[in-house]
């Protein structure tokens, strides 16, 4: 595999992603290139660019730099996790880049043991190496595919478990809401049952208040009558004393003591 174009300078700001499996970060866009390090599953990586014709991407992991196949990288697109495919490059702002062993290795791998073989790798693996590596890559791809499938199965199992938990929470919330409605209905029935009794009590209180008012009116009327009779008595006595200064009764006849002069 020979890619001779130079690495594009001035790349755009790196996009964010993460590895979906324990995957080798290679020194070039092929499993034939030496491994730089192993990126653990779930580890965050920065995506600097991807090849336009091959699903390989130039990434950073901690302080290392290298290449990872897009099928082992996921990123977030429109709030969904997606595998890094060419159709997402432009919407995610991931530039298309090229690869050259000379430029790339001079920049990042001068302290690596495999850098001594840079010239051989710059010419590309020979046919024998390609055939041997192709068989090896097929086995590796099968293992990676199985590992990736296992990872997806775990993710799907986790999604199913999360969905079951959400369904259980929803059922519990519905039960709580139904119990709250039952309690409200019971309170409404109790209020409906208590309403006639409360009305009877209110009517009884009204009758008692009316009776109290009637008694108060009778008492006030009797008090007024007694006061009027007393006033009348006083007026009569006053009148009698004026008409009969020497005493007498209400018939106007003069009263006198026996032996009194001119006393009939």
């Amino acid at each position: 595999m020979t890619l001779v174009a130079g690495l594009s300078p001035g790349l755009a700001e790196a996009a964010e992603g993460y590895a979906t499996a324990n995957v080798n970060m290679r020194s070039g866009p092929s499993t034939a290139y030496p491994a730089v390090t192993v990126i653990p599953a779930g580890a965050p990586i920065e995506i600097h660019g991807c090849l336009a014709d091959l699903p390989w991407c130039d990434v950073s992991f901690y302080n290392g730099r290298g290449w990872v196949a897009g099928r082992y990288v996921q990123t977030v697109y429109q709030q969904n996790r997606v595998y890094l495919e060419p159709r997402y490059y432009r919407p995610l702002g991931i530039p298309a880049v090229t690869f050259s062993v000379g430029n790339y290795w001079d920049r990042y791998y001068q302290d690596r043991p495999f850098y001594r073989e840079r010239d051989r790798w710059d010419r590309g693996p020979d046919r024998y190496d390609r055939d041997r590596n192709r068989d090896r890559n097929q086995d590796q791809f099968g293992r990676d595919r199985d590992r990736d499938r296992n990872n997806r199965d775990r993710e799907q199992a986790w999604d199913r478990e999360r969905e079951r938990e959400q369904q259980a929470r929803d059922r519990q919330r519905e039960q709580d809401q139904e119990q709250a409605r039952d309690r409200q209905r019971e309170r409404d029935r109790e209020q409906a049952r208590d309403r006639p009794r409360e009305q009877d009590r209110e009517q009884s209180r009204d009758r008692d208040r009316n009776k109290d008012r009637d008694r108060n009116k009778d008492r006030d009327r009797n008090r007024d009558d007694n006061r009027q009779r007393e006033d009348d008595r006083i007026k009569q006595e006053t009148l009698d004393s004026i008409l009969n200064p020497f005493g007498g009764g209400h018939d106007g006849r003069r009263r006198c003591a026996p032996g009194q002069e001119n006393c009939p």
Side-chain angles (χ1 to χ4, degrees), residues 43-67:
I45 58 177
E46 293 183 348
I47 307 165
H48 300 282
C50 298
L51 297 178
D53 54 346
L54 290 174
W56 282 79
C57 295
D58 178 20
V59 303
S60 293
F61 173 65
Y62 287 104
N63 294 323
R65 187 75 172 258
W67 293 81

Side-chain angles (χ1 to χ4, degrees), residues 5-251:
L7 182 67
S8 300
L11 298 180
E13 183 179 0
E16 296 181 354
Y18 61 91
T20 61
N22 296 331
V23 62
N24 286 318
M25 184 169 69
R26 300 280 178 175
S27 54
S30 169
T31 56
Y33 287 96
V36 178
T37 188
V38 176
I39 303 176
I45 58 177
E46 293 183 348
I47 307 165
H48 300 282
C50 298
L51 297 178
D53 54 346
L54 290 174
W56 282 79
C57 295
D58 178 20
V59 303
S60 293
F61 173 65
Y62 287 104
N63 294 323
R65 187 75 172 258
W67 293 81
V68 176
R71 66 176 180 270
Y72 298 113
V73 179
Q74 280 191 339
T75 186
V76 176
Y77 176 67
Q78 294 182 350
Q79 299 181 349
N80 293 316
R81 296 182 298 182
V82 297
Y83 282 89
L84 193 58
E85 299 177 1
R87 57 178 170 160
Y88 298 119
Y89 294 171
R90 184 181 297 274
L92 293 172
I94 298 173
V97 297
T98 57
F99 172 75
S100 169
V101 168
N103 292 336
Y104 200 90
W105 284 30
D106 287 346
R107 186 177 300 176
Y108 300 114
Y109 301 139
Q110 292 188 26
D111 59 72
R112 296 282 181 162
F114 55 78
Y115 183 79
R116 293 190 298 268
E117 300 179 349
R118 183 187 68 125
D119 291 339
R120 183 175 72 86
W121 287 106
D122 194 30
R123 291 189 298 269
D126 58 26
R127 188 177 185 85
Y128 172 79
D129 289 338
R130 289 200 302 271
D131 293 342
R132 183 184 60 181
N133 288 336
R134 184 172 59 249
D135 296 338
R136 184 184 304 155
N137 290 340
Q138 288 176 352
D139 295 338
Q140 181 65 34
F141 175 75
R143 289 192 295 271
D144 291 344
R145 182 178 57 192
D146 293 339
R147 182 167 55 246
D148 194 30
R149 184 185 301 113
N150 292 334
N151 290 333
R152 286 196 297 270
D153 291 342
R154 285 195 294 271
E155 290 178 359
Q156 291 174 357
W158 182 77
D159 290 338
R160 288 192 297 270
E161 180 63 24
R162 183 174 60 180
E163 184 177 357
R164 285 194 294 269
E165 292 177 355
Q166 183 62 42
Q167 290 174 352
R169 288 193 293 270
D170 292 340
R171 287 193 297 269
Q172 184 62 44
R173 182 167 57 251
E174 291 176 358
Q175 291 176 357
D176 294 341
Q177 292 175 351
E178 183 61 27
Q179 291 176 357
R181 287 192 291 269
D182 290 341
R183 289 192 295 269
Q184 184 60 42
R185 285 193 292 267
E186 183 61 27
R187 286 194 293 269
D188 293 341
R189 285 194 293 269
E190 291 178 355
Q191 291 176 356
R193 289 194 299 267
D194 293 341
R195 192 173 296 114
R197 290 195 293 268
E198 182 63 27
Q199 290 176 351
D200 293 340
R201 286 194 292 269
E202 183 63 27
Q203 291 175 357
S204 178
R205 286 193 292 269
D206 291 339
R207 289 192 294 270
D208 292 339
R209 284 193 292 269
N210 291 333
K211 290 179 180 179
D212 292 339
R213 283 196 296 270
D214 292 340
R215 284 195 295 269
N216 292 334
K217 288 180 180 179
D218 292 340
R219 184 175 59 251
D220 293 341
R221 189 167 49 251
N222 292 333
R223 183 175 59 248
D224 293 339
D225 291 342
N226 292 333
R227 184 180 295 113
Q228 185 63 40
R229 285 194 294 270
E230 181 65 21
D231 291 341
D232 292 341
R233 185 184 63 79
I234 294 174
K235 289 179 181 179
Q236 185 63 44
E237 290 180 352
T238 302
L239 180 61
D240 290 342
S241 63
I242 293 173
L243 296 176
N244 189 8
F246 299 104
H250 293 294
D251 54 2

